[in-house]
Amino acid sequence: MRPGLSFLLALLFFLGQAAGDLGDVGPPIPSPGFSSFPGVDSSSSFSSSSRSGSSSSRSLGSGGSVSQLFSNFTGSVDDSGTCQCSVSLPDTTFPVDRVERLEFTAHVLSQKFEKELSKVREYVQLISVYEKKLLNLTVRIDIMEKDTISYTELDFELIKVEVKEMEKLVIQLKESFGGSSEIVDQLEVEIRNMTLLVEKLETLDKNNVLAIRREIVALKTKLKECEASKDQNTPVVHPPPTPGSCGHGGVVNISKPSVVQLNWRGFSYLYGAWGRDYSPQHPNKGLYWVAPLNTDGRLLEYYRLYNTLDDLLLYINARELRITYGQGSGTAVYNNNMYVNMYNTGNIARVNLTTNTIAVTQTLPNAAYNNRFSYANVAWQDIDFAVDENGLWVIYSTEASTGNMVISKLNDTTLQVLNTWYTKQYKPSASNAFMVCGVLYATRTMNTRTEEIFYYYDTNTGKEGKLDIVMHKMQEKVQSINYNPFDQKLYVYNDGYLLNYDLSVLQKPQ
């Protein structure tokens, strides 16, 4: 027998034995014969020495057809008489990895089920507890309905607290169950009914005991407020006069700050100024401007203009302009012109906002500059512009004034000094200042959250004095304050945040 044929017969015999082993769990598989192979004697057979008994009954000599077991094979004999066969066996590998994944998934599902089941058990216990509470409440309410005199406000409050606790539990139960539950829904309805019933009982108090008690408490509170206000000498605040008018007795109070937003350049730009343009000819059409200084706190390079406050709030429709000569946070805008201190000089300039060009420059006589007499906590603001109902002002100091504040009224077109007043207030001890109807108001820092309007100088009368008007703030330092006569608001730049305040003035008696 040729070597190649011997190998083929051995391979077929091995496969036959394997098929026979598998056949033990099913119908018998016929032993393959060799009559279908060309050139092979059908009587030729061999047996394995390692198998006997029933194994020999599945030997190659059984006379079965190979095609009955192996349908996916091809065979041929070459010119030299050698038999060449190709057999394709089916994939009988057991899917162990799939079984392992199935076992893991079953384990995870089992854990989740146990967890949810424990929650259900816990909530069932809670439901039973609150069912007892509900029964107790029902009994108490029945008693209250029968006797309108025996209950007090405390009874109502205790019941309300317990009902609110049950409402919270029902909400938690509904969120935990995820689906619909008749028990939870029924509990929720009952608790709502209980809440309505308690409120109805409280309103139907026949003796009006609760209503009378509450009126007494309210009257006592009003009485205390009247006594407190009597001791405080607080001036009566009347509605503000006509915008742009000075028919009042000066600033007497200020509102809490309204935070507009962070400046458009971001948190790093702590220094700057902002406000609303005031034009005596068109007082209600003033545009809004924001001028943050560069991060050095000195150079004014970029500023933005907005036609409306809504545009400013939404950062839209802005005109962003650039200059290279502004210094400090003492900037002001009046009648479509921006007024700035020229960089590194004692000169002042008027910038036309329509063309973004310098219209006029002028030297401010004897003015100190470059941090000689700036405000407390704020550098590079030796020269501070201000606007009020009377026009354009500038606040500064000179060597001759020994650092005390000097107020000059300016011609807003030529920047010529029209008049000057000298105060007794040292400028570096004030945190900032503004003008209202020809009166200078100076602020100082009380703490990180409070400023105080503590000083005034009236250019109309030459009088000066002390004030104690508290001014709250959001951040520690105030960099600039600008007043608008039309809306009578202060526009404050507070460590990068844009704030505004409403001023209250004292109306003069008729």
Side-chain angles (χ1 to χ4, degrees):
M1 185 180 293
R2 295 182 181 88
L5 184 59
S6 300
F7 174 75
L8 176 62
L9 292 175
L11 174 62
L12 293 176
F13 172 75
F14 173 74
L15 294 174
Q17 296 293 341
D21 291 338
L22 292 173
D24 292 340
V25 295
I29 300 175
S31 299
F34 301 96
S35 59
S36 60
F37 284 92
V40 179
D41 187 359
S42 61
S43 62
S44 301
S45 64
F46 66 96
S47 61
S48 172
S49 60
S50 62
R51 300 178 64 89
S52 63
S54 61
S55 298
S56 62
S57 66
R58 294 190 292 268
S59 63
L60 292 177
S62 302
S65 174
V66 177
S67 61
Q68 293 177 346
L69 179 63
F70 305 106
S71 58
N72 299 324
F73 71 89
T74 57
S76 63
V77 180
D78 58 11
D79 296 338
S80 60
T82 302
C83 179
Q84 296 181 347
C85 296
S86 175
V87 180
S88 299
L89 298 176
D91 184 10
T92 59
T93 305
F94 186 74
V96 178
D97 54 341
R98 296 182 183 177
V99 174
E100 289 178 348
R101 287 199 299 270
L102 183 61
E103 289 179 346
F104 178 74
T105 304
H107 179 67
V108 171
L109 290 175
S110 177
Q111 287 182 332
K112 289 183 177 179
F113 177 77
E114 289 294 335
K115 185 177 179 181
E116 296 299 325
L117 187 60
S118 63
K119 287 184 179 179
V120 171
R121 290 169 181 164
E122 179 182 352
Y123 288 134
V124 167
Q125 293 177 355
L126 289 174
I127 288 173
S128 63
V129 171
Y130 279 93
E131 279 179 344
K132 294 178 181 178
K133 286 190 175 183
L134 205 56
L135 291 174
N136 184 32
L137 284 175
T138 305
V139 173
R140 288 165 60 186
I141 289 175
D142 289 338
I143 296 173
M144 291 169 65
E145 284 179 323
K146 294 176 183 178
D147 186 1
T148 58
I149 300 176
S150 62
Y151 59 91
T152 63
E153 186 175 7
L154 181 60
D155 293 324
F156 286 123
E157 294 302 326
L158 291 175
I159 292 174
K160 286 179 180 179
V161 170
E162 294 184 20
V163 170
K164 286 181 180 178
E165 289 180 357
M166 287 189 289
E167 285 178 346
K168 291 180 181 178
L169 176 66
V170 168
I171 293 172
Q172 292 177 358
L173 288 173
K174 291 189 73 173
E175 292 177 352
S176 301
F177 278 118
S180 176
S181 173
E182 293 183 2
I183 298 176
V184 177
D185 293 339
Q186 185 178 357
L187 270 177
E188 185 178 15
V189 172
E190 290 182 7
I191 290 172
R192 286 180 182 174
N193 293 337
M194 183 72 70
T195 304
L196 295 174
L197 183 57
V198 172
E199 292 176 355
K200 186 176 180 181
L201 282 173
E202 191 173 8
T203 56
L204 293 177
D205 176 19
K206 294 181 181 179
N207 294 316
N208 293 321
V209 175
L210 302 183
I212 292 172
R213 286 180 180 175
R214 288 168 182 164
E215 286 182 8
I216 292 173
V217 171
L219 289 173
K220 287 182 178 179
T221 303
K222 288 182 180 179
L223 181 61
K224 289 180 180 179
E225 290 177 355
C226 290
E227 291 175 350
S229 62
K230 182 179 178 180
D231 296 335
Q232 289 176 357
N233 294 328
T234 305
V236 179
V237 178
H238 296 276
T242 305
S245 169
C246 289
H248 56 79
V251 176
V252 294
N253 207 349
I254 187 171
S255 70
K256 290 188 177 182
S258 173
V259 182
V260 177
Q261 63 182 185
L262 182 69
N263 78 89
W264 58 275
R265 298 190 73 180
F267 293 100
S268 301
Y269 297 85
L270 299 177
Y271 296 85
W274 86 292
R276 186 181 183 186
D277 181 21
Y278 176 69
S279 173
Q281 293 77 23
H282 306 284
N284 61 335
K285 295 184 179 180
L287 53 79
Y288 294 85
W289 56 276
V290 184
L293 303 183
N294 286 359
T295 52
D296 61 359
R298 181 180 183 182
L299 177 63
L300 170 57
E301 186 174 6
Y302 295 96
Y303 65 94
R304 280 187 177 180
L305 305 176
Y306 302 88
N307 289 326
T308 66
L309 182 60
D310 289 340
D311 289 346
L312 187 151
L313 293 172
L314 298 174
Y315 298 104
I316 61 174
N317 303 324
R319 281 198 299 142
E320 185 173 327
L321 303 169
R322 181 175 183 264
I323 57 177
T324 57
Y325 42 78
Q327 176 172 283
S329 303
T331 306
V333 173
Y334 179 71
N335 205 13
N336 201 45
N337 290 283
M338 177 179 282
Y339 298 88
V340 299
N341 173 207
M342 297 288 286
Y343 191 85
N344 204 36
T345 71
N347 297 338
I348 55 178
R350 175 168 69 89
V351 181
N352 187 307
L353 293 181
T354 303
T355 61
N356 192 40
T357 57
I358 296 178
V360 176
T361 60
Q362 192 68 255
T363 300
L364 188 59
N366 303 318
Y369 60 94
N370 281 0
N371 264 347
R372 178 65 177 118
F373 296 116
S374 186
Y375 290 124
N377 304 324
V378 183
W380 311 106
Q381 202 172 343
D382 302 77
I383 298 174
D384 183 21
F385 290 94
V387 173
D388 72 354
E389 292 82 353
N390 298 330
L392 181 66
W393 304 79
V394 63
I395 305 164
Y396 58 103
S397 295
T398 65
E399 295 294 343
S401 71
T402 63
N404 289 345
M405 287 184 176
V406 178
I407 309 167
S408 288
K409 181 73 170 63
L410 298 178
N411 181 305
D412 61 279
T413 303
T414 64
L415 298 184
Q416 293 288 336
V417 175
L418 302 178
N419 205 345
T420 300
W421 295 262
Y422 296 90
T423 74
K424 296 179 182 178
Q425 176 59 47
Y426 187 55
K427 186 170 181 285
S429 66
S431 59
N432 227 280
F434 60 94
M435 300 289 296
V436 177
C437 288
V439 180
L440 168 76
Y441 294 92
T443 62
R444 64 183 175 186
T445 300
M446 303 299 291
N447 52 54
T448 58
R449 287 294 180 269
T450 309
E451 295 278 309
E452 181 187 45
I453 302 175
F454 75 102
Y455 172 83
Y456 76 93
Y457 184 96
D458 190 347
T459 62
N460 302 297
T461 62
K463 293 182 179 179
E464 58 187 330
K466 299 297 181 181
L467 297 170
D468 56 353
I469 301 174
V470 175
M471 179 178 173
H472 298 282
K473 56 186 178 180
M474 304 305 298
Q475 300 293 326
E476 183 174 350
K477 298 178 182 177
V478 171
Q479 282 74 24
S480 69
I481 302 177
N482 283 284
Y483 170 70
N484 182 270
F486 175 73
D487 54 24
Q488 293 184 325
K489 290 180 181 290
L490 294 184
Y491 292 83
V492 177
Y493 198 99
N494 182 202
D495 278 342
Y497 286 89
L498 312 182
L499 314 180
N500 62 30
Y501 299 77
D502 291 313
L503 289 180
S504 297
V505 294
L506 179 63
Q507 187 174 4
K508 290 183 178 179
Q510 298 298 324

